[in-house]
Amino acid sequence: MPETEKNRVEGGTLYLVATPIGNLADMTERGVKVLTECDFIAAEDTRNTAGLLAYFGIKKELVSYHEHNKKSRGEEIAARLEGGESCALVTDAGMPAISDPGEDLVRLCGERGIPVRIVPGACAAVSALALSGLATGRFAFEGFLSANRGERKKRLEEIRAERRTLIFYEAPHKLKATLADLLATFGDRKLSLCRELTKRNEETMRTTTAEAVAYYETHEPRGEYVLVLAGAEEATGEAYHPPVDEDLLSLSPADHVAHYEAAGLARMDAIKAAARDRGITKSELYRILTAEKA
């Protein structure tokens, strides 16, 4: 295929080059070409990128560009671009500048009139959305939630009525806590969990938040996750909530709360979930529980 002007690597240009999220065979031909022909590569972790370059037989200058040096290193990269060099920006996996400090470099280049071009490829968020079986026409990408539980719960409350499908990234050591907070905030919505996308142990679980909480009480999370959560229902703005199991409604209020505590929810979150099932407010259920103890 003849080379077009846009396929040529040009001096003074920043190239955003997507890299595989697991399977090296997903690297695009154009991506390899740009990495081969650019003057230098800015990488989130130069050790990881060195392995990728070695796989494709590419020898190129690497400079680190990450969250902790993005301001000073961004200025250095911009200066080299203004001097006529070409740079490929890569992240450890997927598309740079998405939930990634590369967005700051793109903004800096825009402010200085430096051309930026995209070399598209793998993206974990869109891949998981396609696999989820949930609505894909409109979606909102939330990336990683805060590790601070208070901040995490505050953000989830802010988007509780969001009607679009929601996409989150999560690390294995935080998965259980995040699932518990999703259940407490959104109720028992449809949920897809994708882990280790494109890798040997790739897995997609299409379930609900309550079932996921229960599942990971007996299964240890492994690998990186993408969570795809159903949005609030279009007609009412309320969270998706499947019919409540009649067995739950037949329990006493205290046993109903205990059911959710056994699934991993904190006491107040369990009360909130049980109250939602029973169609009453959390404060009403709390008064009932207090009265039963009296």
Side-chain angles (χ1 to χ4, degrees), residues 249-258 267 271 274 278 280 283-294:
L249 296 181
S250 68
L251 297 173
S252 69
D255 287 343
H256 196 161
V257 172
R267 174 70 175 174
I271 291 174
R278 302 174 91 89
I280 60 178
S283 59
E284 287 175 316
L285 181 54
Y286 187 77
R287 283 195 295 269
I288 292 171
L289 295 172
T290 302
E292 287 181 348
K293 287 184 177 181

Side-chain angles (χ1 to χ4, degrees), residues 51-288:
L52 177 70
L53 298 182
Y55 180 84
F56 290 103
I58 300 170
K59 294 183 179 180
K60 190 66 55 176
E61 178 191 354
L62 282 169
V63 298
S64 64
Y65 177 83
H66 48 70
E67 185 64 33
H68 303 294
N69 72 352
K70 63 183 181 182
K71 184 173 179 60
S72 59
R73 187 55 51 83
E75 292 288 344
E76 294 172 13
I77 293 171
R80 293 181 66 172
L81 290 167
E82 289 175 325
E85 293 185 83
S86 59
C87 173
L89 176 67
V90 299
T91 186
D92 285 347
M95 179 60 66
I98 301 298
S99 194
D100 173 80
E103 68 177 292
D104 292 73
L105 183 56
V106 173
R107 186 180 302 111
L108 179 62
C109 288
E111 292 170 352
R112 297 194 180 184
I114 299 170
V116 181
R117 289 187 175 168
I118 191 76
V119 183
C123 176
V126 174
S127 299
L129 177 66
L131 285 168
S132 71
L134 298 175
T136 62
R138 299 172 68 241
F139 61 91
F141 175 65
E142 286 291 320
F144 286 101
L145 292 165
S146 173
N148 179 284
R149 193 177 187 206
E151 293 179 6
R152 184 168 69 244
K153 293 181 73 173
K154 179 182 177 182
R155 178 56 187 161
L156 292 177
E157 283 292 344
E158 290 173 347
I159 60 175
R160 189 178 68 83
E162 173 60 64
R163 295 179 178 180
R164 293 172 292 181
T165 301
L166 296 168
I167 304 174
F168 305 91
Y169 287 162
E170 196 51 276
H173 66 280
K174 289 170 48 189
L175 181 69
K176 291 182 181 181
T178 293
L179 288 174
D181 287 343
L182 291 178
L183 178 59
T185 305
F186 297 102
D188 195 16
R189 293 193 190 184
K190 291 180 179 178
L191 174 70
S192 173
L193 298 93
C194 296
R195 71 178 189 92
E196 298 292 89
L197 286 170
T198 77
K199 300 176 184 176
R200 178 174 296 181
N201 295 318
E202 177 181 326
E203 178 184 38
T204 298
M205 180 190 300
R206 300 177 187 88
T207 181
T208 70
T209 43
E211 291 172 352
V213 166
Y215 178 84
Y216 282 104
E217 280 302 303
T218 56
H219 295 77
E220 194 62 28
R222 297 182 184 279
E224 299 298 318
Y225 287 81
V226 184
L227 310 180
V228 186
L229 182 71
E233 289 196 76
E234 189 72 25
T236 64
E238 293 299 320
Y240 167 83
H241 198 294
V244 179
D245 188 332
E246 291 297 325
D247 290 340
L248 286 180
L249 296 181
S250 68
L251 297 173
S252 69
D255 287 343
H256 196 161
V257 172
H259 164 80
Y260 281 115
E261 287 183 302
L265 293 188
R267 174 70 175 174
M268 294 310 296
D269 289 337
I271 291 174
K272 182 177 180 180
R276 186 184 290 110
D277 288 348
R278 302 174 91 89
I280 60 178
T281 67
K282 183 173 69 173
S283 59
E284 287 175 316
L285 181 54
Y286 187 77
R287 283 195 295 269
I288 292 171

